[in-house]
C-alpha cells in the first residue's frame, strides 16, 4: 500500500502542476431574476446571430425556454432548438446535436438545463470547431481550437458545470462515464436565474443541492485545495446548509433562497474545477453506471460514509468547515467538530427525505463496484487512500441490511 500511495501522490503532483500551468477562466456571470434575459442581450452584443439551444423535452414542454426564445427573437437572433438531451447523455446524442448545429449553421450554443444538457453542449461546442468525433475528445486537452462560443443557463443548482473545465458523457455501449477535460469547455458566460428554479420538484432540488455540497466538501478536504478553492468551497457549504432545507420546504418559490442555492452550486463548481473531488464521487459514478442511481442521490448517501472513513486524515479541514458553517460549539475539539459536521450532514439528509441506504445495491456487486471506484478515486487528490477491503466496507454500509 505504501508503494502504491507514493505512486498515486507522484501522479497527483504532476497533475497539480498541469492544472496550474493550464489555468482556468471563470465565465462572465449574470445573477438574479431574469438574468437569463440579460445573457441573451450579451449574446446579441457579441454579434452572435444563429444560436442552437441545447435542452431537454420536459423543459420545453413546461414552457421554460419560451421567455428565452422570445428574447432572442426580439434581439433578431435566429434560434434552433435541440431538445433530445436525456439524463446521462451518450456520445450518440452529442453527435446528433452536432449534426443539427451544423445544419443550422449555428455560431453559438446556449445550454438551458441541468448538468446533462450543459455537459452535452460543452462537448458539442468543442467537437464542432475541432471537427472531431465527440468520443475523440475524451481525455485531457484534446481540443486544439477554441470551442464554439458557449453560453449556459442552469435550471438546477448542483452540478456546477457552468464553472468547470469538465464534461461527463456516457459510453453508448458500456454506459461507463467518460470525461472530457479542457479549459476551453468553460462557458463564455452563465446566467444564474432563480426564476427558472422555483418549480423544481423537491427530490431533484434535494439531490442536486447535495451534489453541490459534495463538490464543496470533497474539494475542501483534498490535497489540491488552495486558499481560493477553500474560500469558494466553504462559502458554498455554508449556503447549502442555510438554504437547501428552505428550498425543499415552504420557501421553495422564494427567489432569494433559490438564488443562494444557484450561487452555492456555482461557487462549489469554481472550487472543484481546480481542487477536484474524491471517493464520494468515485463511488457515486459506479452506482450511477451499474444501477442508474441519480448522481446527487448517490453522493448524498455516500458523503457521510466516506467522511467517516476520512475523518482522521481530514479532521482539521472538517473542523474548519464546521466552524464556518456554525456547526458545533467553540469549546469543541477538532475531533468533536469533525464528527459534529458529519452528523449534521446525516441530519440534513434525513430532513430532506434522503435515505441512509440504497435499496439497489446488491452484496455480490460490491467487490466489482469497489475495484472500479478505486481505479477512479485513487486518481483524485483525496486526503487519505482506501484499499479494496476498506472501499468494500464503505459501500456495504450504504446497502440495506
Ligand atoms: Fe457531482
Amino acid at each position: 500500500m505504501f508503494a502504491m500511495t507514493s505512486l498515486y501522490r507522484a501522479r497527483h503532483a504532476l497533475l497539480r502542476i498541469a492544472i496550474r500551468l493550464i489555468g482556468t477562466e471563470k465565465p462572465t456571470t449574470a445573477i438574479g431574476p431574469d438574468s437569463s434575459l440579460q445573457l441573451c442581450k450579451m449574446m446579441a452584443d457579441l454579434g452572435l446571430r444563429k444560436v442552437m439551444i441545447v435542452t431537454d423535452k420536459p423543459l420545453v414542454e413546461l414552457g421554460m425556454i419560451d421567455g428565452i426564445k422570445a428574447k432572442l427573437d426580439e434581439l433578431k437572433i435566429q434560434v434552433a432548438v435541440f431538445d433530445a438531451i436525456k439524463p446521462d447523455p451518450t456520445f450518440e446524442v452529442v453527435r446528433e446535436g452536432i449534426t443539427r448545429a451544423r445544419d443550422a449553421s449555428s455560431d453559438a450554443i446556449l445550454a438551458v438545463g441541468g448538468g446533462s444538457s450543459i455537459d452535452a453542449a460543452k462537448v458539442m461546442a468543442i467537437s464542432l470547431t475541432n471537427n472531431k468525433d465527440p468520443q475523440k475528445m475524451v481525455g485531457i486537452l484534446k481540443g486544439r481550437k477554441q470551442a464554439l462560443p458557449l453560453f449556459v443557463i442552469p435550471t438546477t443548482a448542483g452540478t456546477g458545470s457552468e464553472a468547470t473545465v469538465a464534461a461527463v458523457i456516457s459510453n453508448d455501449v458500456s454506459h461507463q462515464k467518460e470525461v472530457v477535460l479542457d479549459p476551453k469547455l468553460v462557458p463564455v458566460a452563465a446566467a444564474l436565474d432563480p426564476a427558472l428554479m422555483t418549480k423544481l420538484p423537491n427530490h431533484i432540488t434535494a439531490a442536486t443541492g447535495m451534489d453541490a455540497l459534495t463538490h464543496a466538501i470533497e474539494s475542501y478536504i483534498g490535497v489540491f485545495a488552495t486558499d481560493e478553492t477553500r474560500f469558494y468551497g466553504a462559502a458554498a457549504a455554508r449556503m447549502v446548509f442555510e438554504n437547501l432545507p428552505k428550498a425543499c420546504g415552504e420557501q421553495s418559490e422564494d427567489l432569494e433562497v433559490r438564488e443562494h442555492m444557484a450561487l452555492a452550486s456555482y461557487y462549489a463548481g469554481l472550487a472543484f474545477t481546480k481542487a477536484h473531488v474524491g471517493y464520494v464521487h468515485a463511488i457515486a459514478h459506479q452506482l450511477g453506471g451499474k444501477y442508474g442511481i441519480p448522481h446527487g442521490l448517490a453522493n448524498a448517501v455516500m458523503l457521510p460514509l466516506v467522511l467517516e472513513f476520512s475523518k482522521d486524515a481530514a479532521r482539521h479541514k472538517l473542523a474548519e468547515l464546521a466552524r464556518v458553517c456554525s456547526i458545533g460549539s467553540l469549546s469543541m475539539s477538532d475531533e468533536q467538530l469533525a464528527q459534529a459536521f458529519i452528523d449534521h450532514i446525516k441530519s440534513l439528509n434525513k430532513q430532506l427525505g434522503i435515505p441512509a441506504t440504497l435499496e439497489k445495491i446488491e452484496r455480490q456487486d460490491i467487490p466489482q463496484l469497489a475495484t472500479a471506484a478505486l481505479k477512479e478515486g485513487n486518481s483524485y487528490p483525496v486526503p487519505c487512500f482506501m484499499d479494496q477491503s476498506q472501499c468494500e466496507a464503505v459501500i456495504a454500509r450504504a446497502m440495506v441490511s
Side-chain angles (χ1 to χ4, degrees):
M1 186 67 184
F2 178 75
M4 290 308 285
T5 300
S6 303
L7 177 67
Y8 298 143
R9 288 298 183 213
R11 274 198 211 147
H12 290 169
L14 289 174
L15 185 58
R16 195 197 307 233
I17 292 166
I19 289 169
R20 297 234 165 115
L21 287 175
I22 291 167
T24 50
E25 299 290 327
K26 295 184 183 74
T28 300
T29 314
I31 304 167
D34 292 336
S35 56
S36 51
L37 306 182
Q38 290 169 31
L39 188 82
C40 297
K41 176 78 170 53
M42 203 185 296
M43 295 171 82
D45 290 344
L46 288 169
L48 298 165
R49 286 292 166 258
K50 291 181 175 182
V51 171
M52 166 70 71
I53 295 180
V54 176
T55 187
D56 60 64
K57 272 203 177 61
L59 280 190
V60 173
E61 284 164 7
L62 286 168
M64 297 273 286
I65 64 164
D66 291 352
I68 296 161
K69 268 175 73 181
K71 185 70 184 176
L72 292 169
D73 278 346
E74 183 193 314
L75 294 163
K76 308 271 183 282
I77 294 178
Q78 202 173 308
V79 179
V81 178
F82 178 63
D83 64 2
I85 306 298
K86 295 196 172 124
D88 303 321
T90 60
F91 287 103
E92 201 46 54
V93 172
V94 175
R95 278 185 203 109
E96 202 186 321
I98 289 168
T99 304
R100 291 282 306 280
R102 280 211 179 101
D103 290 349
S105 307
S106 305
D107 56 15
I109 305 272
L110 170 59
V112 184
S116 298
S117 290
I118 298 172
D119 282 9
K122 281 175 160 180
V123 181
M124 280 173 62
I126 199 165
S127 301
L128 273 159
T129 48
N130 284 278
N131 207 15
K132 271 189 174 180
D133 184 83
Q135 207 151 5
K136 295 256 166 62
M137 306 309 292
V138 170
I140 301 173
L141 294 174
K142 295 294 173 73
R144 285 189 173 183
K145 295 182 182 168
Q146 280 300 328
L148 205 65
L150 173 67
F151 298 80
V152 170
I153 302 174
T155 57
T156 61
T159 70
S161 184
E162 67 275 13
T164 74
V165 297
V168 180
I169 304 295
S170 293
N171 186 295
D172 300 83
V173 181
S174 69
H175 302 290
Q176 289 296 309
K177 310 251 170 134
E178 299 189 10
V179 182
V180 178
L181 212 64
D182 198 311
K184 299 179 200 75
L185 296 181
V186 175
V188 174
L192 308 179
D193 189 339
L196 298 175
M197 299 179 184
T198 55
K199 301 293 181 201
L200 265 184
N202 260 359
H203 71 282
I204 296 179
T205 298
T208 50
M210 289 305 291
D211 185 25
L213 182 65
T214 308
H215 298 150
I217 297 171
E218 291 209 287
S219 63
Y220 194 96
I221 65 174
V223 299
F224 280 11
T226 62
D227 288 348
E228 185 197 14
T229 65
R230 277 194 292 271
F231 170 79
Y232 285 123
R238 194 176 61 238
M239 289 165 99
V240 171
F241 284 126
E242 281 179 15
N243 293 283
L244 187 53
K246 295 177 190 169
C248 292
E250 286 180 2
Q251 287 174 269
S252 66
E253 300 205 10
D254 185 313
L255 289 173
E256 206 174 319
V257 165
R258 291 288 183 176
E259 189 173 307
H260 281 130
M261 281 306 301
L263 206 50
S265 169
Y266 174 65
Y267 281 172
L270 291 177
F272 90 88
T273 198
K274 289 189 175 171
H276 290 247
V277 286
Y279 285 125
V280 181
H281 270 77
I283 296 171
H285 287 153
Q286 313 318 315
L287 297 175
K290 178 83 182 167
Y291 306 117
I293 296 171
H295 178 67
L297 173 62
N299 274 337
V301 173
M302 295 314 305
L303 180 60
L305 303 178
V306 171
L307 291 182
E308 288 282 1
F309 171 82
S310 311
K311 75 181 168 197
D312 286 339
R315 184 192 314 150
H316 300 303
K317 292 286 185 305
L318 292 172
E320 277 175 14
L321 281 172
R323 286 188 200 99
V324 169
C325 299
S326 305
I327 294 166
S329 66
L330 290 175
S331 62
M332 283 181 165
S333 66
D334 277 7
E335 195 175 347
Q336 289 169 322
L337 280 170
Q339 190 59 55
F341 187 74
I342 297 169
D343 292 343
H344 196 79
I345 295 167
K346 290 179 189 167
S347 304
L348 177 61
N349 272 343
K350 207 169 183 181
Q351 190 180 356
L352 299 174
I354 290 172
T357 53
L358 294 162
E359 283 178 4
K360 289 185 177 173
I361 300 178
E362 302 273 351
R363 185 170 292 281
Q364 70 267 19
D365 298 334
I366 290 178
Q368 201 185 2
L369 288 167
T371 303
L374 288 177
K375 191 174 168 205
E376 177 181 334
N378 289 338
S379 71
Y380 293 143
V382 292
C384 58
F385 290 103
M386 283 181 188
D387 64 22
Q388 176 75 20
S389 64
Q390 288 166 329
C391 191
E392 287 183 21
V394 169
I395 298 171
R397 290 186 61 200
M399 195 179 67
V400 176
S401 51

